[in-house]
Amino acid sequence: MDQTAAIYAEIAARRESLIALTQELIRIPTLNPPGQHYREICDYLAARLEPQGFAVSMVRAEGAPGDSEQFPRWNLIARREGGGPGDCVHFNSHHDVVEVGHGWSRDPFGGELDGGRIYGRGACDMKGGLAASIIAAEAFLAACPGFRGAIEISATADEESGGFGGVAYLAERGWFAPERVQHVIIPEPLHKDRICLGHRGVWWAEIETKGRIAHGSMPFLGDSAIRHMGAVLEEIEATLYPLLAGKHTAMPVIPEGARQSTLNINSIHGGQAEPPAGNTGLPAPCVADRCRIIIDRRFLIEEDVAEVKREVTALLERVKAARPTFAYEVRDMFEVQPSMTDREAPIVRSTAAAIARVLGREAQYVVSPGTYDQKHIDRIGRLKNCIAYGPGVLDLAHQPDEWVGVDDMADSARVMALVLAELLAQ
């Protein structure tokens, strides 16, 4: 039996294991926020990988955003050394999942198997990808025991809230340094025939308009920050949205609407705070002396983040020129530069060849509209040879009745195992 046939046979033999592993991962409710059960899922994975010869490291991101004694940010890195020198291929998956939300017809943490689909929060994003990468590694080890180099599998925290308690923390401490890791696949749900080369950039900021409090029966004695913010929103509609609609990229971003610059107004808060649940009192009559919005600006690789920020400042200055009492403040929250791996990078070429062999069609090259942990591997870890590739339909992420297909996971596991064979086999 040749190497490819042996790998296929090993993955086929592990189909039930793939299903059970995905179900067990879903049943650990690693909700973020607040960051529940992170150590539990890392311990579960350690118990599976250590008996197969993986050296496991548990790393808590002490001091990272969100880390606390009640909700510690735990990460797992498991490494299996081969029989000789060579490259290291690293599969990085985040283990946290977003809130459940409303509209489910199934148990969000039941891991129910129905019609070839496994349902649950995180099934698609991205516990199905994590399970597929583990099965791929296990099948490769069984079929190619004399491999060279090393295989790493990580399960990391907080990708859903920026990755600062996960991959960013690890990258800052050298875990993704090019001298110890050479190839990275992040099994995000981008479809089994797509290679995601990177993502757009993002700038989050808070804009606050300032006013003066007064009695609501005499609003002319005050200055409404909410009215000022209304003027800001009008200016955004009149000038900024049309400007962004005219900016397009050569990046193969999906879906099509994300090939232009975009702006989302994430939230708005003004005046008195929301009353606590159960409160039956009436609000006090006051003019709002503050109003805040949070903006989520996604920008293209052709754009400069300094210019992105200047566009917003210029908008606010136009409003100020038209409103004599207008005052504002802009506070940066965070920013991420766009990232895109070259199509000729080794991990891209190996994955494209594996997709063609497994699926019988050419790989599609895409770029994500939103960021994921490649940003930290690229910018902090200085490792450019990184892609996202994994099973699942991206549109299902964060949705009710989220699911991942068993056949898709099996096909993705074949692809990932063939990548290991090309890069590490003797």
Side-chain angles (χ1 to χ4, degrees):
M1 184 182 296
D2 67 16
Q3 186 180 82
T4 299
I7 288 172
Y8 282 15
E10 292 291 342
I11 289 175
R14 287 168 169 77
R15 185 178 179 88
E16 293 305 312
S17 179
L18 173 61
I19 293 170
L21 174 57
T22 305
Q23 290 175 314
E24 289 302 312
L25 293 172
I26 291 169
R27 289 167 184 159
I28 303 173
T30 47
L31 284 164
N32 177 27
Q36 296 174 338
H37 303 289
Y38 284 8
R39 182 61 190 239
E40 182 180 343
I41 199 168
C42 290
D43 286 340
Y44 174 85
L45 292 168
R48 184 184 182 101
L49 295 171
E50 282 180 326
Q52 301 182 69
F54 282 85
V56 171
S57 298
M58 298 284 196
V59 180
R60 177 181 168 183
E62 294 190 57
D67 179 70
S68 66
E69 290 305 313
Q70 185 178 8
F71 300 111
R73 267 41 194 175
W74 283 105
N75 301 276
L76 171 140
I77 306 97
R79 185 178 179 100
R80 171 71 185 268
E81 298 286 353
D87 286 353
C88 173
V89 178
H90 183 115
F91 296 103
N92 165 245
S93 299
H94 66 85
H95 58 57
D96 61 317
V97 302
V98 297
E99 65 176 307
V100 171
H102 300 286
W104 286 78
S105 65
R106 304 166 188 267
D107 180 354
F109 298 110
E112 178 184 349
L113 175 64
D114 183 14
R117 298 175 176 180
I118 301 174
Y119 290 84
R121 176 54 82 224
C124 167
D125 186 15
M126 59 179 298
K127 290 179 176 178
L130 171 57
S133 69
I134 291 171
I135 294 297
E138 291 174 347
F140 171 75
L141 291 171
C144 307
F147 77 99
R148 55 184 172 80
I151 301 169
E152 281 192 347
I153 296 170
S154 62
T156 53
D158 285 3
E159 189 275 343
E160 297 291 3
S161 54
F164 299 103
V167 170
Y169 187 92
L170 296 173
E172 287 166 352
R173 286 150 183 82
W175 289 93
F176 289 96
E179 54 268 23
R180 72 174 304 278
V181 175
Q182 286 73 47
H183 313 269
V184 177
I185 292 178
I186 303 175
E188 290 276 9
L190 273 303
H191 301 262
K192 63 184 178 182
D193 60 351
R194 288 174 171 176
I195 298 172
C196 185
L197 302 172
H199 51 73
R200 295 190 298 174
V202 57
W203 174 50
W204 278 59
E206 181 185 73
I207 300 171
E208 180 175 359
T209 54
K210 303 176 185 299
R212 187 174 70 254
I213 195 169
H215 198 289
S217 68
M218 297 174 286
F220 46 83
L221 297 180
D223 189 17
S224 174
I226 293 175
R227 290 184 64 185
H228 286 315
M229 187 62 76
V232 172
L233 297 175
E234 287 179 3
E235 187 68 16
I236 288 174
E237 291 287 346
T239 64
L240 186 55
Y241 280 130
L243 176 67
L244 302 186
K247 297 187 178 191
H248 295 87
T249 183
M251 302 169 81
V253 186
I254 55 168
E256 182 67 30
R259 294 196 180 184
Q260 68 172 55
S261 298
T262 58
L263 174 74
N264 177 52
I265 299 171
N266 187 71
S267 62
I268 182 166
H269 303 277
Q272 298 173 45
E274 287 289 318
N279 178 70
T280 60
L282 297 173
C286 293
V287 174
D289 63 358
R290 66 201 182 284
C291 188
R292 301 184 308 280
I293 62 171
I294 291 176
I295 60 170
D296 175 357
R297 170 73 160 87
R298 305 293 168 139
F299 61 97
L300 312 173
I301 205 164
E302 294 87 353
E303 294 184 272
D304 178 70
V305 68
E307 178 58 27
V308 167
K309 295 179 181 182
R310 281 195 295 270
E311 289 168 354
V312 171
T313 302
L315 178 152
L316 293 167
E317 287 296 313
R318 288 196 298 273
V319 175
K320 184 177 180 179
R323 300 177 72 87
T325 62
F326 182 81
Y328 70 89
E329 184 177 353
V330 179
R331 289 184 286 274
D332 284 351
M333 298 179 72
F334 72 92
E335 65 187 66
V336 175
Q337 294 291 334
S339 177
M340 191 164 71
T341 299
D342 191 280
R343 289 193 188 190
E344 295 304 311
I347 195 63
V348 178
R349 287 189 282 104
S350 296
T351 306
I355 288 171
R357 291 173 69 183
V358 172
L359 302 179
R361 57 182 180 269
E362 296 299 310
Q364 297 180 47
Y365 298 96
V366 301
V367 166
S368 173
T371 68
Y372 55 95
D373 277 335
Q374 183 171 339
K375 59 183 176 284
H376 301 310
I377 293 168
D378 178 357
R379 300 292 174 176
I380 302 174
R382 298 174 290 108
L383 178 60
K384 304 294 183 182
N385 191 36
C386 175
I387 60 169
Y389 170 77
V393 180
L394 182 61
D395 293 352
L396 297 173
H398 302 195
Q399 294 286 333
D401 288 344
E402 179 184 349
W403 57 268
V404 65
V406 176
D407 288 343
D408 287 349
M409 287 194 294
D411 283 341
S412 291
R414 293 184 185 95
V415 169
M416 289 186 270
L418 290 184
V419 170
L420 291 173
E422 178 172 342
L423 296 173
L424 302 182
Q426 295 280 20

